[in-house]
């Protein structure tokens, strides 16, 4: 298959982003042994924010503007999705956490049907069924708090990623990333402050107190934030250059990268049921992409 040069560039950017996102998750996994997922989210964005601002000073940002609420929506929802995601990273294997996050196309299709009245083809309905069958295998047919957070990551990611392409003609890609990073610092900071006074089983993913990083934690923080920032830039750029469906399909490469990193860090080899569940979720996403 011959792709347009811009499409090829979009695919390469998404492959680079997937590799960097897998690295981000690997460093986050190392950090969750000494701090809560909310603080991991804070540091992930704090380091990234510094890097993005440095890039902005080197080359001034120029925006057309016109969609401030969409920009804010992307930042807030993306941050909450990151909170639920890092919670699952700390509680399960890297491969499981990543596969849960890749349920995003399933929720995108469902949201489009209920909120925008888009037609669901027979292929799309089949893909949704296949996807949830994969989730059942992945979770062992249990619906615990952990699995709820995994699915919530997919749902919120669907909301956040859908907004990225709609911002293309209005904002510089660094502005889109900056919105995400700024809310990704402010919201976790407020939550860590609140965690000093409140506890909640329902909002356990969002309430954990600040713990001063020690020793090698600082190295993992810098590496995690750097990988996340450049991964975010490459992902945003990929959506700017190629169609969302092609970029989304390429993004599944992160499952392979994360599984490999997880095994290196000591995760157990995936069981046949987990492999089958993950494969069904990926297949579901592919079917949904082809049905668009």
């Amino acid at each position: 298959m011959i792709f347009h040069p811009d499409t090829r560039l979009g695919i390469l950017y998404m492959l680079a982003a997937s590799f960097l996102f897998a690295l981000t998750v690997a460093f986050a996994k190392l950090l969750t042994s000494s701090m809560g997922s909310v603080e991991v989210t804070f540091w992930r964005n704090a380091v990234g924010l510094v890097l993005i601002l440095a890039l902005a000073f080197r080359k001034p940002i120029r925006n057309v503007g016109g969609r401030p609420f969409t920009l804010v929506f992307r930042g807030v929802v993306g941050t909450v999705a990151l909170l639920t995601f890092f919670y699952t990273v700390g509680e399960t294997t890297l491969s499981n956490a990543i596969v849960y996050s890749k349920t995003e196309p399933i929720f995108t299709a469902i949201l489009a049907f209920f909120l925008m009245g888009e037609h669901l083809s027979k292929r799309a309905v089949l893909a949704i069924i296949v996807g949830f069958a994969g989730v059942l295998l992945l979770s062992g047919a249990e619906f615990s708090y952990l699995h709820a957070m995994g699915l919530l990551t997919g749902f919120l990611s669907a909301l956040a990623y859908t907004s990225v392409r709609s911002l293309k003609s209005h904002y510089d890609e660094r502005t889109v990333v900056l919105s995400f990073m700024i809310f990704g610092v402010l919201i976790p900071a407020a939550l860590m402050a609140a965690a000093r006074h409140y506890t909640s089983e329902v909002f356990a993913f969002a309430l954990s107190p600040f713990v001063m990083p020690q020793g090698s934690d600082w190295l993992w923080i810098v590496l995690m934030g750097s990988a996340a920032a450049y991964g975010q830039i490459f992902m945003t750029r990929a959506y700017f250059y190629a169609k969302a469906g092609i970029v989304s399909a390429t993004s599944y490469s992160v499952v392979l990268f994360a599984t490999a990193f997880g095994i290196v860090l000591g995760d157990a080899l995936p069981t046949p049921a987990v492999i089958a569940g993950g494969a069904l979720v990926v297949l579901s996403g592919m079917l949904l992409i082809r049905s668009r």
Side-chain angles (χ1 to χ4, degrees):
M1 182 182 293
I2 299 176
F3 290 112
H4 185 277
D6 280 355
T7 300
R8 288 200 297 269
L9 197 56
I11 291 171
L12 288 174
Y13 277 132
M14 194 63 237
L15 284 172
S18 293
F19 180 79
L20 289 170
F21 284 146
L23 269 181
T24 301
V25 177
F27 294 132
K29 185 72 171 182
L30 291 169
L31 285 168
T32 55
S33 63
S34 58
M35 64 181 67
S37 57
V38 179
E39 187 173 352
V40 172
T41 304
F42 171 83
W43 287 117
R44 184 261 196 208
N45 289 294
V47 175
L49 182 59
V50 172
L51 291 173
I52 298 299
L53 287 174
L55 291 174
F57 279 118
R58 289 176 57 188
K59 181 182 178 182
I61 293 176
R62 292 182 174 84
N63 298 311
V64 175
R67 291 199 172 181
F69 294 110
T70 305
L71 196 63
V72 171
F73 177 83
R74 193 306 183 226
V76 173
V77 175
T79 297
V80 180
L82 203 57
L83 288 168
T84 58
F85 175 62
F86 280 137
Y87 178 86
T88 61
V89 167
E91 299 295 323
T92 187
T93 64
L94 294 190
S95 57
N96 282 17
I98 287 291
V99 170
Y100 272 122
S101 71
K102 300 312 289 183
T103 57
E104 171 260 321
I106 301 173
F107 290 107
T108 298
I110 294 172
L111 287 171
F113 175 74
F114 283 106
L115 299 182
M116 294 181 283
E118 290 188 8
H119 173 70
L120 281 178
S121 66
K122 292 181 179 178
R123 175 182 286 176
V125 173
L126 174 62
I128 291 170
I129 294 171
V130 168
F132 281 117
V135 170
L136 282 174
L137 280 173
L138 192 67
S139 66
E142 296 179 3
F143 193 71
S144 65
Y145 186 83
L146 169 62
H147 304 308
M149 290 302 101
L151 290 174
L152 187 58
T153 299
F155 174 74
L156 294 173
S157 296
L159 290 175
Y161 289 153
T162 299
S163 66
V164 171
R165 194 164 179 83
S166 67
L167 296 169
K168 174 182 178 180
S169 59
H170 297 269
Y171 297 98
D172 185 292
E173 64 189 36
R174 290 167 295 170
T175 300
V176 178
V177 177
L178 269 174
S179 170
F180 180 40
M181 297 290 184
I182 289 171
F183 283 105
V185 169
L186 296 178
I187 293 175
L191 290 172
M192 286 188 291
R196 297 176 61 185
H197 308 285
Y198 304 100
T199 58
S200 171
E201 291 184 2
V202 175
F203 295 104
F205 76 94
L207 290 172
S208 59
F210 178 81
V211 177
M212 182 58 68
Q214 302 292 327
S216 61
D217 288 344
W218 290 110
L219 174 61
W220 307 139
I221 285 170
V222 171
L223 292 175
M224 175 184 67
S226 301
Y230 283 101
Q232 198 71 36
I233 290 172
F234 289 153
M235 185 207 75
T236 304
R237 193 171 293 175
Y239 277 98
F240 281 11
Y241 278 99
K243 292 181 179 180
I246 294 174
V247 173
S248 296
T250 307
S251 72
Y252 282 98
S253 59
V254 73
V255 177
L256 298 177
F257 293 136
T259 301
F261 287 141
I263 292 171
V264 170
L265 292 178
D267 283 350
L269 291 173
T271 64
V274 168
I275 293 173
L280 287 177
V281 171
V282 172
L283 175 61
S284 169
M286 295 296 187
L287 289 172
L288 285 168
I289 290 165
R290 288 178 61 88
S291 69
R292 291 174 183 172

